[in-house]
Amino acid sequence: EYFFEINQLTHRYADGTTALHNLTLTIKKGKKIALLGKNGAGKSTLFQHLNGLLKPASGTIYFNGDKLRYDRQSLLKLRKHVGIVFQDPDSQLFSGTVKQDISFGPHNLGWSKEMVEKQTAWAMELTETTNLQDRPIHFLSLGQKKRVSIAGVLAMDPDVFILDEPTAGLDAYYAKQIMRILEDIHQKDKTIILSTHDVQHAYEWADEIIVLNNGESLYHGDPVTIFYQE
Ligand code: ADP
Ligand code: ADP
């Protein structure tokens, strides 16, 4: 069972940069997937395609067997299932308090007040942000902001969680905390795809590793096999 089937995906930016080149990949349900690759390898370009934020120059992407479409209605539907946590929490978080920010997504989905409350409380609990709920975002540390941005996506209850370098810039303690939270989220039957520069950590954590280089897939498989290939 696949969430994503990506066929011959090529992405070209306006300035002509080819960021993904004939990329073919499948992403299975329920897995923990680590996307590795140097800066500029195409990781965040790929992530933006999975959420319909970018459009392919050529190639196709299927989600749950349906070809991605880019009209507003189809994108809203896709984004109910696929949530992205960006690397920089400030690009994701707005103003107001932690609780207001986390409840914004579920509110936007048109859920009832009770449902929004319930989902927000659940997301705060899992991300250990309940005690921060009345704090203005502005005063939070980076580690706290990261947790709040994860909570905001979690509250919408997507099936697939995409995280762009969720532990970048955090010290070991806060990085561990984030990974513990992702483990809990995975236990709730979520598929997790994250990018990281920490190869060792990816080997230990992931069910599957994808290595991108120059917009192409160098390796896709289990961590053990890639370890012995080197
Ligand atoms: P990664 O996330 O692995 O660091 P990116 O997906 O950000 O890689 O970038 C892939 C390639 O696309 C790089 O060559 C990068 O410089 C280029 N790129 C990224 N964003 C843009 C953009 N908005 N315009 C032009 N080129 C871009
Ligand atoms: P749409 O594209 O559906 O119109 P936007 O995402 O542009 O919605 O957001 C509409 C307004 O809500 C904007 O003024 C934006 O700044 C604000 N907003 C968006 N996300 C949040 C959030 N998480 N918390 C608080 N305000 C937000």
Side-chain angles (χ1 to χ4, degrees):
E1 261 193 305
Y2 296 122
F3 264 134
F4 286 104
E5 295 182 70
I6 299 163
N7 293 312
Q8 303 273 312
L9 172 64
T10 294
H11 183 83
R12 221 166 272 119
Y13 283 106
D15 67 355
T17 306
T18 302
L20 297 174
H21 185 68
N22 281 336
L23 182 69
T24 296
L25 263 188
T26 51
I27 292 172
K28 293 194 198 102
K29 289 189 180 177
K31 298 285 180 190
K32 293 188 285 186
I33 300 157
L35 184 58
L36 293 169
K38 291 189 264 241
N39 276 333
K43 301 182 297 296
S44 66
T45 303
L46 174 60
F47 281 171
Q48 291 176 73
H49 275 282
L50 297 183
N51 203 26
L53 290 167
L54 292 175
K55 274 190 190 178
S58 61
T60 47
I61 304 174
Y62 290 83
F63 177 71
N64 269 337
D66 295 327
K67 192 172 164 181
L68 287 206
R69 290 150 43 110
Y70 298 89
D71 58 285
R72 190 177 160 83
Q73 209 54 37
S74 306
L75 288 176
L76 280 176
K77 211 175 135 208
L78 175 69
R79 287 170 192 161
K80 271 190 203 177
H81 294 283
V82 183
I84 291 202
V85 179
F86 292 104
Q87 184 174 344
D88 175 13
D90 288 328
S91 70
Q92 187 147 356
L93 301 173
F94 290 81
S95 48
T97 65
V98 165
K99 189 176 173 188
Q100 283 169 342
D101 206 287
I102 297 171
S103 60
F104 182 82
H107 175 78
N108 240 10
L109 290 180
W111 290 346
S112 69
K113 212 166 172 247
E114 294 72 33
M115 185 71 174
V116 171
E117 277 288 323
K118 184 173 148 266
Q119 286 298 114
T120 303
W122 176 71
M124 289 195 297
E125 193 189 318
L126 260 176
T127 56
E128 301 170 31
T129 53
T130 308
N131 62 334
L132 303 173
Q133 60 181 298
D134 296 321
R135 296 243 196 117
I137 296 289
H138 181 69
F139 292 112
L140 303 181
S141 70
L142 178 64
Q144 290 170 336
K145 283 183 182 172
K146 289 251 186 189
R147 271 146 55 208
V148 173
S149 64
I150 292 171
V153 173
L154 182 63
M156 294 188 278
D157 206 20
D159 307 311
V160 186
F161 251 81
I162 298 172
L163 303 101
D164 203 350
E165 307 217 17
T167 56
L170 298 180
D171 67 25
Y173 175 86
Y174 291 106
K176 274 222 176 77
Q177 184 182 32
I178 295 286
M179 294 315 296
R180 200 170 62 232
I181 288 164
L182 293 185
E183 198 55 48
D184 286 347
I185 292 173
H186 183 249
Q187 295 300 318
K188 308 277 177 200
D189 252 357
K190 310 292 183 192
T191 299
I192 299 188
I193 311 170
L194 60 79
S195 64
T196 178
H197 281 110
D198 189 341
V199 176
Q200 184 60 39
H201 174 243
Y203 289 155
E204 288 165 9
W205 173 81
D207 300 322
E208 274 184 27
I209 302 232
I210 298 168
V211 182
L212 282 190
N213 187 45
N214 282 328
E216 300 185 64
S217 167
L218 269 192
Y219 176 86
H220 183 189
D222 63 84
V224 178
T225 311
I226 191 176
F227 191 74
Y228 285 108
Q229 268 189 355
E230 287 188 331

